[in-house]
Amino acid sequence: MTTLSHVLWLGGGCGAGKTTLATRLAYRFDLRLYRVDSFAYNHEARHDPNRHPLTHRLSRKTHMQRNVDPPAERLAEQFIAVAAERFELIVADLMARADGPLVLAEGPGLFPEQVAPLAESRAHMLWLLPTPAFGDRNVAARGGVQVADDAAAAHRKRAERDVLLTAVIEREADRLGVPTFNVDGSLDLAQTENWLAEHYAPAILAGPRIRDGAQRAAMRRAENAELQAQVTAHLEWLGGKAPAVAAPVRYACECRTLGCGATVSMSPMDYPAAGAVLAPHE
Ligand SMILES: [Zn+2]
């Protein structure tokens, strides 16, 4: 099987801080960022009913039927099965980015069994294993499960599901002998980021990284557009249940300074007309 030598993989349980850490590392080291969660609606739109039967079946269910009503064990199984179906779409996206700088791919649906055969080396992959308390605290801070009639029950079930998913990742990782990192809150964000930076260092040093300011601006602009497409599709999906004022989205600064880690929060409604997103340092 072909390996995706230009991809660094960051998987792990929900609420481990993957997105935050991947974003900080990508900006700091000038890597292309691929957030699997930014492609949820994109992948659903691209699904083929024959190749992705579960994705197809779920696409016709309501949010409650799909994400809230089933027991936690079923939600976990469903998540794993959908992730397995989606993986070939993720690989296709990553292949399409093979000619550029290293890509840091991040998401909860990246399981060791699928990723390990494609990863170039141990320094190209890592799974974060949050303790239940740490994961739940982070997920709750995001606003938890939306659009459920009984938000507290939905949140509890989601937390149960997340613990099961982390256990599956841990078992797969143990069996395959791939690297993991326990996230329990004993290190702060900057310390955790530095640990990850050291882990990935051999892969990052081998490169290639974003080569100049023009390429950086183009990459961050493309990532912002990917994020925007996801947010817009989600607001459409919410329809009448969408909040009157859309929650602000944190976009990457699109300046030409390598290593820039700045972000700009704005309403997704304002993004289309905003032109280049530039943090105040510009
Ligand atoms: Zn900047």
Side-chain angles (χ1 to χ4, degrees):
M1 198 180 289
T2 161
T3 69
L4 294 176
S5 57
H6 65 293
V7 181
L8 311 188
W9 306 86
L10 179 61
C14 299
K18 289 183 302 300
T19 303
T20 302
L21 288 161
T23 301
R24 289 168 65 122
L25 288 171
Y27 296 173
R28 176 172 161 190
F29 294 110
D30 295 305
L31 316 173
R32 177 84 153 95
L33 183 60
Y34 178 84
R35 298 172 176 135
V36 174
D37 281 348
S38 286
F39 290 83
Y41 288 95
N42 175 295
H43 289 163
E44 192 157 307
R46 280 159 61 195
H47 86 267
D48 171 340
N50 296 313
R51 295 185 63 82
H52 315 112
L54 179 61
T55 304
H56 185 63
R57 216 159 61 236
L58 290 175
S59 72
R60 304 159 81 114
K61 292 192 175 185
T62 66
H63 173 73
M64 292 298 289
Q65 288 170 339
R66 177 178 177 159
N67 298 316
V68 182
D69 293 342
E73 293 76 14
R74 180 73 201 120
L75 289 175
E77 288 165 16
Q78 188 176 282
F79 184 93
I80 293 164
V82 168
E85 286 188 353
R86 248 179 105 180
F87 192 65
E88 66 178 16
L89 298 173
I90 294 169
V91 169
D93 291 342
L94 294 170
M95 292 295 286
R97 290 157 174 74
D99 284 339
L102 291 172
V103 181
L104 178 51
E106 165 273 319
L110 300 175
F111 286 87
E113 281 195 355
Q114 274 120 20
V115 168
L118 300 181
E120 177 79 357
S121 79
R122 285 175 64 82
H124 286 74
M125 57 181 156
L126 183 67
W127 281 268
L128 304 182
L129 303 175
T131 59
F134 187 88
D136 188 39
R137 202 160 58 236
N138 268 359
V139 171
R142 283 178 212 156
V145 180
Q146 294 173 16
V147 214
D149 296 339
D150 181 348
H155 177 81
R156 253 193 330 273
K157 201 177 283 185
R158 158 90 195 244
E160 273 180 62
R161 183 205 72 168
D162 291 350
V163 169
L164 294 169
L165 288 174
T166 300
V168 169
I169 292 169
E170 188 168 14
R171 274 203 305 278
E172 287 188 15
D174 275 353
R175 196 162 51 71
L176 295 164
V178 297
T180 59
F181 182 75
N182 292 315
V183 184
D184 57 9
S186 61
L187 298 185
D188 67 20
L189 183 61
Q191 290 169 324
T192 309
E193 179 191 332
N194 285 334
W195 193 96
L196 266 63
E198 267 185 47
H199 171 78
Y200 288 115
I204 292 172
L205 288 172
R209 291 151 67 179
I210 291 173
R211 65 176 176 267
D212 57 26
Q215 189 179 36
R216 182 195 181 278
M219 296 273 144
R220 299 296 173 240
R221 181 84 185 150
E223 290 156 14
N224 283 341
E226 291 160 5
L227 180 59
Q228 177 71 8
Q230 169 70 15
V231 171
T232 306
H234 186 61
L235 289 172
E236 267 171 37
W237 178 82
L238 285 171
K241 288 189 174 178
V245 178
V249 173
R250 193 183 280 196
Y251 299 95
C253 176
E254 296 171 2
C255 76
R256 292 170 170 248
T257 305
L258 288 176
C260 173
T263 58
V264 176
S265 282
M266 74 168 102
S267 165
M269 305 304 181
D270 295 337
Y271 175 83
V277 175
L278 294 172
H281 68 77
E282 293 293 301

